[in-house]
Every structure is written in structure tokens, then in C-alpha cells.
Amino acid sequence: MRTIKLTAAVLLSCLLLLLSGCGSSGDGGGGTGNADAGAESSAESTPAPGGELVWALAGVVQNDILDAHRTGFAPSTRVMRSLYDSLVVEFEDHTFGPWLAVSWELSEDQKSYTFKLREDVKFHDGTPFNAEAVKFNFDRIVDPATQSSLGKNAMGPYVSTEVIDEFTVKVNFSEPFAPFLSNLAKVDLGMVSPTAVKKYGDAFPQNPVGTGPFKLAKLTPGTELELVRFEAYNWPPANAKHEGPAYLDKLIVKYVPEDATRLSVLQSNQAQVADIIPPQNLQALKADPNFKVYETELLQHNYSYFFNQDKEPWNDVRIRKAIRAGINFDAAIKTVYLGTSRQGWSPLSPHSLYYTPTVENTWKYDPDDANQALDELGWVKGADGIREKDGKRLSLEMIDYQGNREKRLDLLAVVTQQLKQIGVEIKLLTLPQGTFTERRANGDYDLYGGSQFYGDPSILRQMYSTKGPNGKLNISRTHDPELEDWLEAAQSELNTEKRAELYKKAQEKIIEQVYSIPAYVLDYTVASSRKVHDISFDYPAWPVFYDTWIEQ
């Protein structure tokens, strides 16, 4: 066995990070941005335990699912970060530190990780955290009955987990699995209580039990959650600022998807924290001495438009390129986001590991070129300006169920008007979630807009490969053997230079073949009352309230 990370080395790494400022409250050891200059002044005062913090959440926890292994929906996972701990923590430089695991080793054949676990951890229900619990969690994630979303992809070529002794566990893969430590740091592989899963069965998602600094006290379906401090908590990640229980007595999460309402409850102090601040209000909040604003780039697959390539004519790259040339994202993003966001050029966000700048500016808005290409392909503009060929309109039916989250529908409205100028029609169809999921699985759509937070470039395998967890039903309906080979090789390649080159080629091909059209890069924003201190971020960029305290 060759040691990859030992506790002493990890703690030294963490210390160096803290000394360099990466553990500051504006960045918190996660994400890529910082709080507004001068926003945090906690060094001038001592953290004060107590108080209730109300968080106006930009969204709704879908179906009240709070099971780390059962949902990949962003608003849900933002909340779950406070309920579930991970085996390791990921730092901003993509190194790792201890959390529920104190050390780990990688085998010589690079197919097994052996973890030494903390011996003082308990779940919220009193169940001991040990090697058996880790085995239960990993086996549950890959069990088809769990219907794990991101978790299944995050476990890659998982084979088994062996219990070596009460606090030593060995995780085996069929081949080297480069993203494993990074995946472990995310809530999707967070530890759930085996006792609670067996007790609640299908109702566990609404009765979550983890080892995190907060535990669920009350759930009001579709409306809010009340989380309370877990008094026994004393096992924070290596980048935390203190030990022992969280400072806050309660963390109350209210679902406030409407932008104007979310801003209003923050400004009226009905909530002390709100996230995803509307672009038109961001600068005003930054200038207001009563508030702090935190910004951090969400590490993810950027929000993009995906064609259903199983349907004609979207399986023709010439059509896809023509449509892309008809979209002026720069103008659309400036119109909708008012300078608070920027155009995305790659499926990966710019600060993601192995992002390649070679894809930047590799296409441009060129309606003349788009019109010429569509003319040459035999698509003729009709009386209403929309092109037709063989009695079929050049019309894209776009399915959606999330509404105007992150102002996506506002962006679509601008894009729709732009594409009309080249004779392409977009028809938005808003559906209930169940119907949407069924139609997407059945390929009953032309266009889909979506993103996926993740943090590791291996998310490309899930989105673009038939060898990923979704098989031929991958979100882009891409079937490209060469691309799949690169993504498979990158997943098992531990040499960073070789892995970077594979992901560079993958990003370039995705853009060249227009397997998706990246739209914007999301800078995740959190605003708080000036009296709230030490909000931090994990990877990929969710808020962490363990160190947070309220000035009395």
C-alpha cells in the first residue's frame, strides 16, 4: 500500500491553506469567489453561540426529498449539506483533508482505497458511525432499488466494500477511479444512518438522519424545514474554524422561489440569509451597509441547451451549428443578467478541474451564416417567417418543469426572439415534474435546458456517454464511440497531465459537434444580514453554516 494522504500531512496542508487566506469567511475553503470586500469582520469579535437563522431558499426541495442518495436537485442538496457529513473534505486547490475519515491509502494497483475512520462519531439517532455504516451506504448507493441519481455515477466502477475492523474499511473498484476522493467530498456520497433507513423505509427521504451539525426537527411539506443544532457534534472537516457543536440553535429553511419575495424577506429581516440574488438587485445589496454579499462560481456542467439527437433533423450537426450561430448569448446574457453572469464556452464552468480555454470563442453569433446554411439544407421560410421542409416546420419543442429558476425562462425568451430572425421556432412546454421525467426518458422532446452541479469533470461521462449511468438515455442523446473512449480513459487515469489532455479533447469535441450549447456561467450568490458571520462554501459551492454565528 502506498500512502496518498495521512492525517499529519493533511493537517499541515490545511494549515497552509488557512494561512494563505483560503479559509477566510468569504470563501470558506470552497467555491472560487469571495465575499464583497470588507464584508466579513468576524476577526473583530468573538463568535456568540445561539440564535435562529432563517434562510430564504431560492427553490423548493422537490417532493421534500432529503435523502443524500436519492436526489441531485440543487435546492435539495444545498439544504442537505447541513444534515450529512462526508468522509473527506476538498480544498480549493483540489487537495483533500480529513472529515469522517482521518486517513486513507491507495493500493498499488490503484483499485482500492482503505480508510481509517474517526471513532467518536454518531448519527443523529445515536447509531454509531463505523465501517459497517460506510459499507451500508456505498452498497445502498449502487443498489438499483435506491434509484440514486448523482450517487451512482459518483461510485463509478464500484465492486465492493470490505469491513477490515470496526473503524477500517476498504473500498474496491474494478479499475482505477480517479474522481473518487473528489466525489466523496460531496453530499451525494454523504453518510446516512443505516438504522433510520431500515426504520423509515420509503419514508426515509422525508425523515433524514445523518451525522451533520444540524438535524431535522420539523418538515412542513412544500414550505419549510426546521433544523436544530446536533448537540453531540464534534467532528467537523479539516477546514472548519472551530470544534464542537454549531453555534446556531436553529437553521430554518423557507422555500422562496420568487425573486422579488426572497429579496423582500431579506430586506425586512424576515430572513437573515437569501441565496441566488436577482441580478437587478445585486449591486444595490453590495452597496448597502446592512448586508453582506458572497459570490462563488458554481463548479458544474454549465446550463446548456441539449438537442434530442435521436430525432431528425437535430441529428444533423449542420442544423445544430446553424442554430447555435443564430444565438447571440453575449447580448442575451447582458440583457437578462445585467453583468452578473457571463457566457459559457465549455460544458464545464471555468474554475472546474481540467477546464480548457481552447474552446473559448470557437463559435460566434453570425445570423447571415446561419441563414445561408439553412437555405442550403433546403429549409425555406414560410409566410410567418418560420422555415419549413417537406411539410415540417423547423420548430423545437422545449420541455421544462423548473420555471424561471436562475432567470432561465427570461433568457429563453430572448433566445427565442433571436432564433425567429433565422426562421427557427422554439415552443416552450411547461410540465409537471413526473410528466417531464417520463417524456425526457422516452425521448419525447426536441430541446432541453439544464445544468448539473458536480465539481469533477467526470460529470461529462454522465451527460454525454452511453457508458455512463444513464446509458443511451444520456441527457444529450450523444452516441460517440471516440468521445466515450476518452471519457472512460479519463475516469481511470490518475496521471493529472494525461487526464487533463483527455478532458481537453472531450470538451473540444462536444463543442465542435454541438452536442450541447453552453449558455451561461452561474456565480452562486448568498446575501446575509451584516450581523451574520462566517458563512462558508463547500465544493461545488453550497453554503455551510457550521461556523456561522449571529451577532447579538
Side-chain angles (χ1 to χ4, degrees):
M1 307 284 282
R2 62 186 179 89
T3 301
I4 296 300
K5 296 283 182 189
L6 292 176
T7 306
V10 168
L11 291 176
L12 176 59
S13 173
C14 182
L15 178 60
L16 292 174
L17 283 168
L18 292 172
L19 290 174
S20 66
C22 292
S24 69
S25 55
D27 202 19
T32 61
N34 290 287
D36 188 28
E40 190 62 73
S41 58
S42 59
E44 300 175 4
S45 53
T46 302
E52 298 181 5
L53 184 70
V54 178
W55 174 14
L57 179 72
V60 175
V61 174
Q62 285 184 351
N63 301 320
D64 303 303
I65 294 177
L66 291 166
D67 183 342
H69 306 158
R70 290 284 299 275
T71 180
F73 188 52
S76 306
T77 53
R78 282 180 241 155
V79 174
M80 291 192 299
R81 183 73 282 177
S82 293
L83 293 168
Y84 299 108
D85 290 333
S86 300
L87 289 190
V88 302
V89 61
E90 183 169 0
F91 300 127
E92 189 172 0
D93 65 350
H94 300 291
T95 59
F96 305 94
W99 198 342
L100 296 182
V102 296
S103 64
W104 50 94
E105 294 178 341
L106 178 63
S107 62
E108 289 293 342
D109 65 3
Q110 301 182 341
K111 295 181 182 180
S112 299
Y113 287 84
T114 299
F115 295 89
K116 283 294 210 181
L117 307 176
R118 290 189 67 127
E119 301 181 11
D120 59 344
V121 178
K122 291 187 181 297
F123 289 95
H124 300 152
D125 60 1
T127 300
F129 170 76
N130 52 27
E132 289 285 357
V134 174
K135 175 177 171 56
F136 175 89
N137 272 262
F138 290 161
D139 288 348
R140 178 179 188 253
I141 290 167
V142 301
D143 184 345
T146 304
Q147 298 180 331
S148 180
S149 52
L150 290 181
K152 185 178 178 181
N153 186 67
M155 290 302 294
Y158 174 80
V159 173
S160 64
T161 298
E162 301 175 51
V163 175
I164 307 301
D165 60 41
E166 186 175 6
F167 297 107
T168 308
V169 65
K170 183 179 181 182
V171 185
N172 303 307
F173 298 94
S174 60
E175 59 188 51
F177 185 43
F180 186 50
L181 288 179
S182 182
N183 293 348
L184 271 185
K186 299 173 183 64
V187 72
D188 316 290
L189 300 187
M191 296 290 108
V192 306
S193 166
T195 302
V197 170
K198 294 169 186 175
K199 175 182 177 181
Y200 292 109
D202 292 341
F204 176 78
Q206 292 77 39
N207 295 274
V209 179
T211 66
F214 296 92
K215 61 182 182 178
L216 180 66
K218 182 180 179 182
L219 184 157
T220 305
T223 303
E224 69 175 65
L225 303 165
E226 182 179 308
L227 309 182
V228 297
R229 178 172 56 213
F230 182 29
E231 297 293 350
Y233 193 82
N234 194 29
W235 42 86
N239 60 349
K241 290 189 171 185
H242 81 287
E243 295 181 350
Y247 293 126
L248 298 172
D249 291 331
K250 289 184 180 181
L251 176 61
I252 299 172
V253 185
K254 294 182 179 291
Y255 307 162
V256 190
E258 303 84 7
D259 284 352
T261 306
R262 201 162 57 254
L263 182 69
S264 175
V265 297
L266 176 68
Q267 292 177 322
S268 62
N269 202 37
Q270 297 175 65
Q272 291 76 50
V273 172
D275 63 344
I276 307 189
I277 305 304
Q280 64 271 25
N281 305 112
L282 192 58
Q283 294 305 320
L285 274 184
K286 286 182 178 181
D288 191 327
N290 295 308
F291 299 98
K292 305 172 189 175
V293 175
Y294 301 77
E295 298 176 273
T296 187
E297 180 186 303
L298 181 59
L299 304 183
Q300 65 167 349
H301 185 296
N302 287 326
Y303 181 76
S304 304
Y305 294 131
F306 299 90
F307 296 93
N308 182 351
Q309 296 175 65
D310 287 339
K311 294 179 66 175
E312 293 184 348
W314 322 122
N315 58 348
D316 188 335
V317 66
R318 296 172 297 177
I319 291 282
R320 301 197 299 269
K321 285 186 175 181
I323 291 174
R324 184 175 66 183
I327 302 175
N328 187 344
F329 272 126
D330 182 58
I333 290 168
K334 287 176 179 175
T335 298
V336 174
Y337 298 102
L338 306 175
T340 64
S341 188
R342 58 198 184 282
Q343 181 174 351
W345 293 102
S346 164
L348 300 179
S349 51
H351 285 86
S352 293
L353 187 64
Y354 304 134
Y355 171 85
T356 179
T358 60
V359 296
E360 295 175 6
N361 300 300
T362 51
W363 79 88
K364 63 180 180 178
Y365 172 56
D366 192 339
D368 292 337
D369 185 67
N371 276 308
Q372 181 179 342
L374 294 174
D375 287 342
E376 292 174 353
L377 290 169
W379 291 90
V380 180
K381 287 186 178 181
D384 63 352
I386 302 303
R387 294 177 181 271
E388 298 179 356
K389 181 180 179 180
D390 300 329
K392 179 180 174 61
R393 288 167 67 85
L394 194 54
S395 179
L396 289 148
E397 184 177 70
M398 180 171 174
I399 59 173
D400 179 74
Y401 74 97
Q402 296 187 33
N404 202 23
R405 174 184 164 199
E406 298 168 12
K407 292 193 171 293
R408 293 174 177 180
L409 297 189
D410 291 348
L411 179 68
L412 180 66
V414 178
V415 169
T416 298
Q417 292 302 314
Q418 292 176 347
L419 289 180
K420 279 185 179 179
Q421 304 307 308
I422 64 167
V424 177
E425 178 181 55
I426 293 182
K427 294 193 294 185
L428 176 66
L429 184 60
T430 300
L431 302 168
Q433 183 187 357
T435 306
F436 168 88
T437 301
E438 181 179 356
R439 286 192 57 167
R440 195 179 78 179
N442 293 335
D444 187 11
Y445 65 95
D446 299 307
L447 191 69
Y448 166 71
S451 61
Q452 186 60 70
F453 69 91
Y454 205 68
D456 188 89
S458 59
I459 189 61
L460 299 179
R461 180 175 179 268
Q462 178 170 322
M463 309 293 271
Y464 299 96
S465 175
T466 64
K467 297 180 180 179
N470 298 322
K472 293 183 179 180
L473 301 183
N474 63 75
I475 194 172
S476 62
R477 291 301 202 272
T478 298
H479 317 293
D480 184 330
E482 183 178 51
L483 176 62
E484 291 177 355
D485 287 346
W486 292 339
L487 294 176
E488 291 301 300
Q491 178 174 262
S492 59
E493 180 57 70
L494 273 72
N495 180 288
T496 57
E497 292 183 1
K498 292 179 180 179
R499 195 171 183 230
E501 179 59 27
L502 288 164
Y503 281 123
K504 174 178 178 291
K505 292 194 294 185
Q507 291 169 77
E508 290 173 344
K509 186 159 195 181
I510 290 167
I511 296 304
E512 169 60 26
Q513 293 298 313
V514 200
Y515 291 148
S516 67
I517 306 177
Y520 61 86
V521 176
L522 177 64
D523 285 331
Y524 179 64
T525 54
V526 174
S528 76
S529 161
R530 176 66 58 173
K531 293 185 177 182
V532 176
H533 299 271
D534 290 336
I535 297 173
S536 59
F537 297 93
D538 78 341
Y539 271 84
W542 297 149
V544 175
F545 296 101
Y546 169 66
D547 285 319
T548 303
W549 57 282
I550 302 175
E551 190 176 324
Q552 303 301 318

